[in-house]
């Protein structure tokens, strides 16, 4: 028998018996809703040409499963449902009577990081309302999104609504280049206050930078809109806020209680042009629904048609049904074991928390700290636990975030655990001279690779698990990329810094769903922590 004949690839999953029934239940409930509201089903092929998926819309081709057809053209397993439907509407339904209401229930295929505990094949059930640019169309999509979550029997959920126009209005009024705009966008989206603040400091104090600084904090009820208007007002930004107010008022008047506003929900790409929304469910650490208005997408396929739509992540809902991970429990905070642990405990003490259990932990890994639960783990695992939502908050070094992190909010720089990334090698070696290909050892291969790429250097990076200083001493590498705190390990081993790469300190990260579903508790904890970190 061949080696992998009885296995399935990473990221794939078999479902058996009642598992199939449970998944089907969710899909049936959603399809019934869509049909009731006059939506008609479409199925697009699992295999499409790569050209259908525009990188400008945020789909990098390296996350796609690629194949080739008989003529050598690149095809992919569809990584998204909206673009194939846009293609289908522009080609097959161009002379239909608009608006057209479509729904789908089919899989998308995305390559996730290996061993990240994510499924690469995800069932999405969603709608597209095409050919209607009115507020009524947005209300229809949002009401259906709320109803979709309600019908799937979630104990508690929240739909967050933002508007691409508000953020865009501010950016359009700034004299900065596209790269800076993209950076501000991504830092706002990830609520990375510390890094955003640095970028905005470099630009200087203007009405726009003052507004952008506070934007990631603007989520909650209708009061968020007043706060936003006070922060920034221009014809374009006012009109986006007024639009959101109208939509929000109409939704809540219509009985939708589970909606919130989030002006930090921004558009990383040019995909969304109006409202943007995301659904979070208690029991899931990831968003279970996402959608928005995309008035320019279908024109890329040759038909000018505005549209709004959303997709429900059926797999995420299925997981909530089976193993709700953040149901009823105290707020859970993951701490990095070792050096950072001591400074974190000190911060807790400054917050007035009773840390006696943490101080006398023995070999226990989960410990009560007043009303909270502290979890002790290795740095990369802090990120894994927070990304999956089994811990709500994490305290971890920026080094680990840069190397391992992707989807969480990075909300605070604690200014503890300060050190830096540096390139080091034996004192008598001129690392940058000569033409031979260099070898570099590191516990942080991603950081090392990116650093050398940014310098236009092609090096061999060798992953080492610890005491990286050994690699050049034993002749395995020419140099190392590592964290340096006091510099004594380098010195005692005859190595010296050739270039500093970036400063590092401990950061506070928050799971995206927890931030929405446990907003009050998390904000109170963060406020106390921030105060303690400044004492
Ligand atoms: C880190 C780092 C260096 C050392 C630097 O290792 O990888 O080896 O600390 O600190 P210094 O500048 O104060 O001497 P760590 O102690 O985390 O152990 P490890 O290499 O075994 O992972």
């Amino acid at each position: 028998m061949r080696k992998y004949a009885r296995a399935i690839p990473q990221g794939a999953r078999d479902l058996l018996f009642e598992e199939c029934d449970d998944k089907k239940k969710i899909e049936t409930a959603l399809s019934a809703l869509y049909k009731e509201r006059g939506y008609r089903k479409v199925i697009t092929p699992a295999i499409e040409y790569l050209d259908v998926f525009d990188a400008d819309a945020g789909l990098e081709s390296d996350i796609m499963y690629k194949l080739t057809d008989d003529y050598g053209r690149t095809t992919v397993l569809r990584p998204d449902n909206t673009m194939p439907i846009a293609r289908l509407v522009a080609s097959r339904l161009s002379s239909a009577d608009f608006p057209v209401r479509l729904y789908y229930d089919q899989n998308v295929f995305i390559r996730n990081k290996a061993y990240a505990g994510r499924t690469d094949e995800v069932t999405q059930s969603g709608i597209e309302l095409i050919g209607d640019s009115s507020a009524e169309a947005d209300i229809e999509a949002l009401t259906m999104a709320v109803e979709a979550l309600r019908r799937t029997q979630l104990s508690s959920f929240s739909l967050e609504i933002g508007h691409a126009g508000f953020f865009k209005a501010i950016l359009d009024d700034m004299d900065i280049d596209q790269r800076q705009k993209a950076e501000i966008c991504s830092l706002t989206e990830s609520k990375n206050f510390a890094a955003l603040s640095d970028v905005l400091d470099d630009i200087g104090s203007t009405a726009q930078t003052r507004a952008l600084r506070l934007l990631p904090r603007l989520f909650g009820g209708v009061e968020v809109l007043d706060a936003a208007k006070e922060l920034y007002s221009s014809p374009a930004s006012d009109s986006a806020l007024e639009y959101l107010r109208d939509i929000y008022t109409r939704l809540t008047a219509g009985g939708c209680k589970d909606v919130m506003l989030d002006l930090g929900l921004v558009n990383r790409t040019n995909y969304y042009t109006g409202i943007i929304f995301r659904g979070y469910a208690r029991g899931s650490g990831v968003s279970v629904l996402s959608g928005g208005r995309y008035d320019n997408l279908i024109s890329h396929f040759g038909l000018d048609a505005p549209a709004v739509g959303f997709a429900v992540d059926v797999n995420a809902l299925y997981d909530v049904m089976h193993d709700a991970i953040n149901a009823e429990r105290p707020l859970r905070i993951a701490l990095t074991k070792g050096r950072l642990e001591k400074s974190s405990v000190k911060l807790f003490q400054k917050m007035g928390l009773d840390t006696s259990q943490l101080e006398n932990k023995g070999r226990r890994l989960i410990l009560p700290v007043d009303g909270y639960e502290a979890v002790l783990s290795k740095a990369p695992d802090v990120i894994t636990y927070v990304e999956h939502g089994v811990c709500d908050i994490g305290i971890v070094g920026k080094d680990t975030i840069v190397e391992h992190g992707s989807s969480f909010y990075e909300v605070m720089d604690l200014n503890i655990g300060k050190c830096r990334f540096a390139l080091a090698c034996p004192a008598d070696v001129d690392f940058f001279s000569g033409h031979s290909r260099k070898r570099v050892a590191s516990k942080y291969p991603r950081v090392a690779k990116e650093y050398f790429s940014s310098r236009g250097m092609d090096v061999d990076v060798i992953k080492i698990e610890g005491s990286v200083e050994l690699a050049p001493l034993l002749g395995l590498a020419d140099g190392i990329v590592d964290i340096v705190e006091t510099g004594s390990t380098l010195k005692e081993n005859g190595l010296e810094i050739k270039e500093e790469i970036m400063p590092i300190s401990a950061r506070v990260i928050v799971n995206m769903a927890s931030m929405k579903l446990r907003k009050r508790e998390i904000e109170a904890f963060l406020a106390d922590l921030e105060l303690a970190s400044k004492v």
Side-chain angles (χ1 to χ4, degrees):
M1 192 184 291
R2 289 184 190 148
K3 189 173 172 193
Y4 294 111
R6 289 162 62 89
I8 54 174
Q10 263 291 312
R13 177 163 158 182
D14 290 320
L15 291 183
L16 275 78
F17 318 133
E18 55 281 357
E19 294 173 336
C20 307
D21 299 341
D22 289 346
K23 181 163 177 266
K24 193 76 197 162
K25 254 187 237 159
I26 300 172
E27 296 181 69
T28 308
L30 293 172
S31 301
L33 166 69
Y34 305 152
K35 273 192 243 172
E36 262 169 43
R37 304 282 167 103
Y39 284 71
R40 299 174 70 195
K41 185 164 181 172
V42 290
I43 298 176
T44 62
I47 302 170
E48 296 265 358
Y49 284 118
L50 174 64
D51 291 0
V52 172
F53 303 95
D54 188 346
D56 286 349
L59 285 166
E60 298 297 335
S61 80
D62 57 358
I63 59 137
M64 298 184 204
Y65 277 91
K66 293 195 198 72
L67 313 147
T68 46
D69 70 4
D70 281 354
Y71 304 97
R73 297 177 194 126
T74 307
T75 55
V76 294
L77 293 182
R78 70 167 108 74
D80 166 86
N81 279 312
T82 301
M83 290 184 223
I85 290 177
R87 170 195 58 69
L88 175 144
V89 170
S91 55
R92 300 272 305 272
L93 296 173
S94 59
S95 49
D97 236 355
F98 287 98
V100 165
R101 289 177 167 76
L102 306 175
Y103 81 89
Y104 56 87
D105 178 24
Q106 57 189 25
N107 296 357
V108 292
F109 304 84
I110 289 173
R111 282 184 193 281
N112 284 293
K113 254 188 326 194
Y115 309 111
R118 306 249 183 248
T119 321
D120 285 9
E121 182 177 6
V122 171
T123 305
Q124 288 185 342
S125 167
I127 59 147
E128 313 291 355
L129 169 47
I130 297 157
D132 188 343
S133 60
S134 68
E136 284 66 33
D138 285 353
I139 299 267
E140 179 174 326
L142 288 164
T143 319
M144 284 178 70
V146 171
E147 187 58 21
L149 297 178
R150 199 172 279 153
R151 290 208 189 172
T152 42
Q153 287 157 14
L154 297 166
S155 65
S156 145
F157 63 87
S158 167
L159 190 77
E160 309 287 312
I161 313 170
H163 195 296
F166 182 69
F167 185 74
K168 182 171 182 298
I170 302 178
L171 283 194
D172 283 350
D173 290 345
M174 294 173 78
D175 189 17
I176 53 174
D177 60 34
Q178 282 308 323
R179 189 194 50 78
Q180 285 171 300
K181 288 185 183 179
E183 190 173 14
I184 292 173
C185 195
S186 127
L187 297 172
T188 304
E189 200 186 29
S190 57
K191 299 201 189 295
N192 190 337
F193 301 114
L196 180 65
S197 183
D198 289 347
V199 172
L200 297 175
D201 280 349
D202 289 347
I203 298 172
S205 176
T206 64
Q208 291 81 19
T209 53
R210 285 192 293 276
L212 289 172
R213 218 176 274 277
L214 292 173
L215 207 58
R217 294 184 199 264
L218 288 182
F219 61 101
V222 73
E223 71 283 354
V224 156
L225 299 174
D226 300 325
K229 190 160 180 179
E230 242 171 67
L231 269 180
Y232 198 75
S233 179
S234 74
S237 68
D238 287 356
S239 120
L241 292 178
E242 280 323 304
Y243 188 78
L244 269 183
R245 186 184 303 275
D246 176 45
I247 296 274
Y248 184 79
T249 314
R250 284 158 73 173
L251 279 174
T252 45
C256 280
K257 296 278 173 263
D258 309 294
V259 290
M260 270 170 78
L261 295 165
D262 184 356
L263 292 176
L265 207 57
V266 299
N267 198 12
R268 205 181 281 232
T269 62
N270 295 322
Y271 193 105
Y272 291 122
T273 52
I275 54 161
I276 312 175
F277 49 102
R278 272 190 208 148
Y280 293 95
R282 182 156 272 208
S284 174
V286 295
S287 71
V288 295
L289 180 151
S290 69
R293 170 161 289 284
Y294 54 97
D295 286 347
N296 301 332
L297 182 68
I298 305 179
S299 67
H300 294 184
F301 298 92
L303 178 77
D304 211 1
V308 60
F310 67 79
V312 175
D313 180 332
V314 174
N315 292 50
L317 289 185
Y318 172 89
D319 289 343
V320 175
M321 270 173 97
H322 282 255
D323 35 28
I325 51 168
N326 61 357
E328 299 306 320
R329 57 162 170 75
L331 213 56
R332 215 177 258 160
I333 303 139
L335 304 181
T336 305
K337 278 205 244 179
R339 293 190 218 192
L340 220 43
E341 182 183 335
K342 285 191 200 84
S343 352
S344 307
V345 173
K346 270 196 203 136
L347 276 176
F348 282 3
Q349 287 163 347
K350 284 190 196 161
M351 287 167 75
L353 298 175
D354 172 8
T355 54
S356 51
Q357 301 260 4
L358 256 180
E359 289 163 87
N360 302 297
K361 61 180 193 293
R363 299 289 295 165
R364 283 178 302 160
L365 299 169
I366 304 182
L367 299 127
V369 178
D370 277 335
Y372 304 110
E373 241 172 36
V375 171
L376 294 170
S377 76
K378 289 240 180 205
D381 303 335
V382 167
I383 292 194
T384 305
Y385 293 135
V386 172
E387 281 191 337
H388 282 265
V390 292
C391 291
D392 306 290
I393 297 174
I395 296 183
V396 66
K398 183 70 181 174
D399 52 326
T400 315
I401 294 179
V402 188
E403 182 67 24
H404 299 277
S406 58
S407 49
F408 44 74
Y409 295 135
E410 184 183 327
V411 296
M412 208 185 295
D413 183 348
L414 288 173
N415 286 311
I416 55 173
K418 285 191 168 190
C419 49
R420 59 240 196 248
F421 267 129
L423 166 70
C425 61
D428 55 352
V429 170
D430 179 1
F431 184 86
F432 295 107
S433 73
H435 56 269
S436 66
R437 190 178 162 86
K438 297 287 192 295
R439 297 220 282 183
V440 169
S442 186
K443 280 191 282 189
Y444 303 89
R446 192 163 147 188
V447 171
K449 199 78 201 165
E450 269 169 30
Y451 162 67
F452 288 110
S453 305
S454 74
R455 291 191 55 122
M457 277 179 78
D458 191 18
V459 301
D460 276 336
V461 175
I462 304 171
K463 172 91 197 285
I464 297 288
E465 297 298 336
S467 301
V468 191
E469 295 82 0
L470 275 172
L473 300 181
L474 298 177
L476 179 67
D478 301 290
I480 62 172
V481 164
D482 198 17
I483 51 173
V484 180
E485 191 178 355
T486 60
S488 50
T489 316
L490 289 182
K491 200 165 170 209
E492 289 180 28
N493 289 289
L495 304 174
E496 67 178 29
I497 294 181
K498 294 293 164 181
E499 196 159 285
E500 299 214 346
I501 300 177
M502 70 182 282
I504 292 164
S505 56
R507 306 301 165 104
V508 182
I509 59 172
V510 179
N511 171 262
M512 288 179 158
S514 302
M515 181 72 116
K516 303 301 160 92
L517 294 163
R518 307 186 72 164
K519 177 174 185 281
R520 240 178 271 265
E521 288 167 272
I522 290 180
E523 282 189 336
F525 177 84
L526 294 179
D528 289 351
L529 185 61
E530 188 159 26
L531 274 182
S533 75
K534 289 186 174 147
V535 176

